Amino acid sequence: MDEVEVVVAHSERATLRVGDVFLKVDADQARIDAEVEAMSLAPVPTPEVLWSRPPVLAIAALPGTTLGRLGGPSTGSPAGWGAAGAAIRKLHDAPLPSRTGRAGRSIVALAAELDGECEWLVTNGVLPADLVTRNRQVAEAALRPWTPAFTHGDLQIAHVFVDDDEVTGIIDWSEAGQGDALYDLATFTLGHEEHLDDVIAGYGTDVDLDVIHAWWSLRSLLIVRWLTEHGFDPFEPGCEVDVLRSRM
C-alpha cells in the first residue's frame, strides 16, 4: 500500500498524495468547481481529473519537476524558465473565462486591503515601519488600470512542472479567472528575481518591470499575516520578508 504524503494542509484546504494520485480536500466547493472549470478551459497542460466527490478532487500526478521553490535554490535551466514564460503567455492570450479570478480584484479593494495589512504589520510589531512604508510605496505601481487576461491567480513556482525544458503541467487552478497578467508573472518569479529575464524572454513581449516589482511587494505585504496564522513562516530565508527587504 502506498504511503499517504501530506503535501500541504491548513484550516481551509489540504492536499494529499497517494502514489500517483493527488487528493485535494477543500471546505469550499466553489473553489473545486472553479479549478475543474479553469483546467478544462486553459490552453496549457493541466493534470488529468480522475474524479470529484465533494469535498475531494482527485487528479493525476504530473511528470517532471518544478523549477525550484520559494526560499530555495532554482533547479531549472534558463530554457526551462523561458518555456514557463511561453506557457504563461499562451494562457494570457486565451479567450477570457466568465469569472473574475484572484488576480482580478479591483484597484479600490486591493488598496483598502493593502492599507489594512500594512497597519496591522506595523501596529503589531511584525515588521519595521520603514520596511512596510517603503514597500507600500513600491506597491502603488500595481494599482493601475489593466487589460483583463486569462490568469491562473496563484502561479507559484511550485505549481509549474517542467521536464526536459518543456512545461508538462500547471496545477492548483482554484484562483483562476479574469485578471492582471502581470500578477501571474510576478507571482511566478517571486523570490527568484534572477530568472525574471528568462521568463520575459519566453513570454515574448515587453512588460513593465516597475509593475512586476510592485506586485512582489504587494503580494508579500498581503500574505505575511495569513502565512503566520496558518503555520507557515514568511521569515525563512528567501521568502516573503526577504522579498520585502530586497526593495529597500
Side-chain angles (χ1 to χ4, degrees):
M1 179 178 178
D2 291 310
E3 293 184 352
V4 176
E5 174 191 356
V6 178
V7 179
V8 63
H10 49 77
S11 60
E12 295 179 1
R13 57 189 117 169
T15 301
L16 312 175
R17 179 170 186 168
V18 185
D20 290 332
V21 177
F22 284 90
L23 302 174
K24 303 189 69 173
V25 185
D26 199 318
D28 185 350
Q29 181 61 32
R31 279 196 294 253
I32 291 180
D33 294 341
E35 180 159 8
V36 172
E37 179 184 7
M39 288 193 292
S40 72
L41 297 173
V44 295
T46 60
E48 178 188 359
V49 176
L50 301 176
W51 49 265
S52 179
R53 302 188 190 103
V56 182
L57 172 66
I59 60 175
L62 291 169
T65 60
T66 64
L67 294 169
R69 64 178 180 84
L70 182 61
S74 165
T75 56
S77 68
W81 285 86
I88 296 169
R89 176 62 183 274
K90 188 174 183 180
L91 174 67
H92 291 167
D93 285 345
L96 294 176
S98 59
R99 70 180 73 219
T100 300
R102 180 71 175 170
R105 288 167 291 171
S106 73
I107 296 172
V108 173
L110 270 174
E113 184 180 358
L114 181 59
D115 288 340
E117 289 302 305
C118 288
E119 181 180 0
W120 183 89
L121 291 168
V122 174
T123 300
N124 290 277
V126 178
L127 294 175
D130 61 340
L131 181 66
V132 173
T133 298
R134 170 56 183 158
N135 278 276
R136 175 62 181 85
Q137 293 169 345
V138 173
E140 189 68 27
L143 304 177
R144 88 283 178 223
W146 40 267
T147 301
F150 188 157
T151 54
H152 180 280
D154 190 22
L155 199 61
Q156 302 175 45
I157 186 175
H159 293 163
V160 179
F161 285 74
V162 175
D163 188 28
D164 196 23
D165 295 333
E166 292 187 5
V167 174
T168 57
I170 301 176
I171 64 172
D172 284 4
W173 291 82
S174 61
E175 306 287 355
Q178 296 186 31
D180 180 0
L182 296 192
Y183 179 91
D184 273 354
L185 289 172
T187 301
F188 184 65
T189 55
L190 184 75
H192 289 282
E193 184 171 355
E194 71 278 10
H195 287 292
L196 178 59
D197 287 344
D198 298 326
V199 173
I200 292 175
Y203 194 72
T205 187
D206 291 336
V207 302
D208 190 329
L209 295 181
D210 287 340
V211 176
I212 296 288
H213 298 160
W215 273 122
W216 286 342
S217 291
L218 200 158
R219 179 179 170 89
S220 297
L221 287 169
L222 291 185
I223 201 67
V224 168
R225 184 194 334 203
W226 187 94
L227 291 170
T228 56
E229 291 178 346
H230 288 80
F232 302 100
D233 186 3
F235 288 87
E236 287 188 357
C239 291
E240 286 81 4
V241 174
D242 272 358
V243 170
L244 295 172
R245 290 170 177 153
S246 71
R247 296 300 104 197
M248 297 298 286

